[in-house]
Amino acid sequence: MNKAIRTISVVIVVMFVSLMANATYGYVARTPALSNDPTNRRVTDAEFGTDRGTILVGNTPIALTKPVNDRYGFQRSYPQGALYAPVTGYYSYLYKRTGLEQTQNAQLSGTSSSQFMQRLVDLATGKRPTGATIVTTLDARAQQAARDALGNRPGAVVALDYKTGAVKALVTSPTYDPNLLATHDLGASKASYDKLNADASKPLSNRATREIFPPGSTFKLVVSAAALASGMTPDTMVDSPASLPLPGTTRPLSNSGDCGGTQITLKQALQTSCNTAYAGLGMKLGADAVRTQAEKFGFGRSDLLPQLGSAKSTFPATLDQAQLAQSSIGQFDVAASPLQMAMVGAGIANNGVVMQPYLVQQVRAADLTVLETAQPQKFSEAMTAANAASLQDMMVNVVTNGTGTRAQINGVRVGGKTGTALTDGKNAPYAWFVAWADNPSVAIAVFVQDAGVEASDVSGGRIAAPIAKSVIEAMR
């Protein structure tokens, strides 16, 4: 009898221990995943009844929660909605979350692992949970300047602190007002979403990070880096014919302007954005060399900015010689996001080292205790310091004497590269400008998808370079 009782007692104890272990595991280990599951309607209802954390630019809220007198008790709002929409995203009962509202949801809703102890205290005291505050890396002056300079033209602007990787500006156009989707009037929210989603200009798209486009002549920076890595110097002479026959085709490649002779230095080829010189250079270097260099800057990777998500920039896997020539001037199937091209400029400016872009500087608890602080991390080493210095000088020459003169700023060393990318023949060419400055330490990519002018008037130097100049000046 005693043995049977002991056996039953052991079984009961084991069952209780197992139950407690499972409950503890479910609360501690699975809570973040379950809480962040966008299909969990109970969690959605609970979240809409909590004081969600604030998102800041400096000390200014760009997303916050206000008490309201309805079934939820709190309303999410965006004081400068359209300006920061590509960053904050939206927080909607019907359409869940995007942007930082999604990637930082655990912190904002108070369910992250770093807030575990606070949740226990709140549970014990019966206090309503409060989400953490997200402090972004953005510079309000740069963000506003980029928005104003880009205006209503479709496109994007990305500015990075090239020494740390901190995102200082991230603008996309057209944009939208997240308040329209965050409203508790679900009928109005649905109507707004349907209208935005049906809009042919795609205001919900993030052109800065999540879409890729032909980079045009800004890709010549990548080819220049590959050329320097092969042993060339800025003074190396390269062929620059007025017209370059492409192998296997009957249509030669021409230049948009005078390159300065049939043989010029690599430095002058970048200064004049000489198509035939770079097409021939790409064929001489070979597809593998150009592709490898592009990958060192981040092409082919989707982890460029995990806090927002990013599309993979692409360089074709297989190319014949004619396709390689076109790819070497940023055409054919080469495509890049503005974020990726900002990273190219940043790596060159930072002596060859590309820093990991990041958007969140700090996470603070409701009592202002710092829970997390970002630490700059190296993304890749794209070039040697010596080659980066050479390419810096070449880019400064573009702004001083070449196609990027509209980016000049008195007292500031500015390097840049213009780009004009042909599209499908039906739409206007894209205008690009990739630049960096030494004061402030910022790298910028400007992309204008539709400049609203005649195709013959579109150029990166005329359309995009002044936008970069405005952002740099705003940060001084």
Side-chain angles (χ1 to χ4, degrees), residues 340-413:
Q340 173 64 83
M341 296 314 297
M343 291 173 67
V344 171
I348 296 166
N350 196 39
N351 300 319
V353 177
V354 183
M355 300 300 291
Q356 174 71 61
Y358 64 99
L359 191 52
V360 175
Q361 186 62 51
Q362 275 190 346
V363 179
R364 301 175 185 167
D367 62 0
L368 301 184
T369 301
V370 176
L371 300 176
E372 304 171 27
T373 300
Q375 299 297 327
Q377 297 180 359
K378 184 170 77 171
F379 179 84
S380 67
E381 188 166 340
M383 305 178 67
T384 66
N387 286 344
S390 294
L391 191 45
Q392 289 169 20
D393 288 341
M394 291 168 62
M395 292 179 71
V396 169
N397 184 57
V398 170
V399 174
T400 304
N401 303 305
T403 57
T405 55
R406 286 180 173 85
Q408 293 177 6
I409 301 173
N410 289 335
V412 181
R413 186 171 181 251

Side-chain angles (χ1 to χ4, degrees), residues 164-254:
T164 65
V167 178
K168 309 311 285 185
L170 197 151
V171 167
T172 186
S173 175
T175 184
Y176 67 98
D177 184 357
N179 291 295
L180 297 175
L181 305 179
T183 176
H184 292 172
D185 183 338
L186 302 188
S189 177
K190 183 179 186 306
S192 294
Y193 182 83
D194 289 345
K195 182 178 179 180
L196 289 167
N197 199 43
D199 191 330
S201 67
K202 303 198 299 184
L204 293 175
S205 297
N206 190 330
R207 289 168 167 83
T209 68
R210 301 185 70 91
E211 293 195 12
I212 56 176
F213 310 90
S217 291
T218 60
F219 190 75
K220 291 171 184 173
L221 293 172
V222 176
V223 180
S224 295
L228 294 171
S230 75
M232 295 183 185
T233 72
D235 294 325
T236 298
M237 301 299 292
V238 295
D239 293 330
S240 52
S243 178
L244 179 68
L246 299 181
T249 73
T250 57
R251 186 175 181 180
L253 179 68
S254 60

Side-chain angles (χ1 to χ4, degrees), residues 83-385:
L83 177 60
Y84 290 102
V87 175
T88 62
Y90 54 76
Y91 180 65
S92 166
Y93 189 91
L94 292 177
Y95 304 105
K96 310 310 175 186
R97 306 172 290 265
T98 59
L100 289 182
E101 292 281 26
Q102 169 59 24
T103 64
Q104 304 300 301
N105 181 61
Q107 291 83 355
L108 291 167
S109 62
T111 60
S112 70
S113 57
S114 62
Q115 295 161 278
F116 174 67
M117 292 305 299
Q118 185 60 51
R119 289 199 301 276
L120 290 181
V121 172
D122 291 344
L123 184 64
T125 59
K127 182 181 176 182
R128 185 187 293 269
T130 302
T133 294
I134 301 297
V135 183
T136 70
T137 60
L138 295 173
D139 183 314
R141 302 165 301 170
Q143 186 79 2
Q144 188 66 59
R147 183 74 189 96
D148 291 345
L150 184 61
N152 294 323
R153 295 172 292 189
V157 180
V158 177
L160 305 174
D161 181 330
Y162 57 74
K163 292 184 177 180
T164 65
V167 178
K168 309 311 285 185
L170 197 151
V171 167
T172 186
S173 175
T175 184
Y176 67 98
D177 184 357
N179 291 295
L180 297 175
L181 305 179
T183 176
H184 292 172
D185 183 338
L186 302 188
S189 177
K190 183 179 186 306
S192 294
Y193 182 83
D194 289 345
K195 182 178 179 180
L196 289 167
N197 199 43
D199 191 330
S201 67
K202 303 198 299 184
L204 293 175
S205 297
N206 190 330
R207 289 168 167 83
T209 68
R210 301 185 70 91
E211 293 195 12
I212 56 176
F213 310 90
S217 291
T218 60
F219 190 75
K220 291 171 184 173
L221 293 172
V222 176
V223 180
S224 295
L228 294 171
S230 75
M232 295 183 185
T233 72
D235 294 325
T236 298
M237 301 299 292
V238 295
D239 293 330
S240 52
S243 178
L244 179 68
L246 299 181
T249 73
T250 57
R251 186 175 181 180
L253 179 68
S254 60
N255 296 308
S256 58
D258 182 12
C259 295
T262 57
Q263 264 211 334
I264 57 177
T265 64
L266 181 61
K267 181 177 182 179
Q268 185 172 341
L270 193 70
Q271 173 188 325
T272 59
S273 197
C274 187
N275 285 340
T276 58
Y278 274 92
L281 186 57
M283 290 191 289
K284 180 178 179 180
L285 292 169
D288 289 345
V290 178
R291 185 181 302 105
T292 297
Q293 184 63 69
E295 290 172 351
K296 287 182 178 180
F297 281 113
F299 276 70
R301 293 178 58 169
S302 59
D303 59 344
L304 305 188
L305 185 58
Q307 292 156 340
L308 275 190
S310 53
K312 290 182 182 180
S313 297
T314 60
F315 186 85
T318 57
L319 295 167
D320 60 30
Q321 284 295 89
Q323 293 167 343
L324 175 56
Q326 291 284 355
S327 297
S328 299
I329 60 171
Q331 296 288 168
F332 187 55
D333 287 341
V334 178
S337 66
L339 171 63
Q340 173 64 83
M341 296 314 297
M343 291 173 67
V344 171
I348 296 166
N350 196 39
N351 300 319
V353 177
V354 183
M355 300 300 291
Q356 174 71 61
Y358 64 99
L359 191 52
V360 175
Q361 186 62 51
Q362 275 190 346
V363 179
R364 301 175 185 167
D367 62 0
L368 301 184
T369 301
V370 176
L371 300 176
E372 304 171 27
T373 300
Q375 299 297 327
Q377 297 180 359
K378 184 170 77 171
F379 179 84
S380 67
E381 188 166 340
M383 305 178 67
T384 66

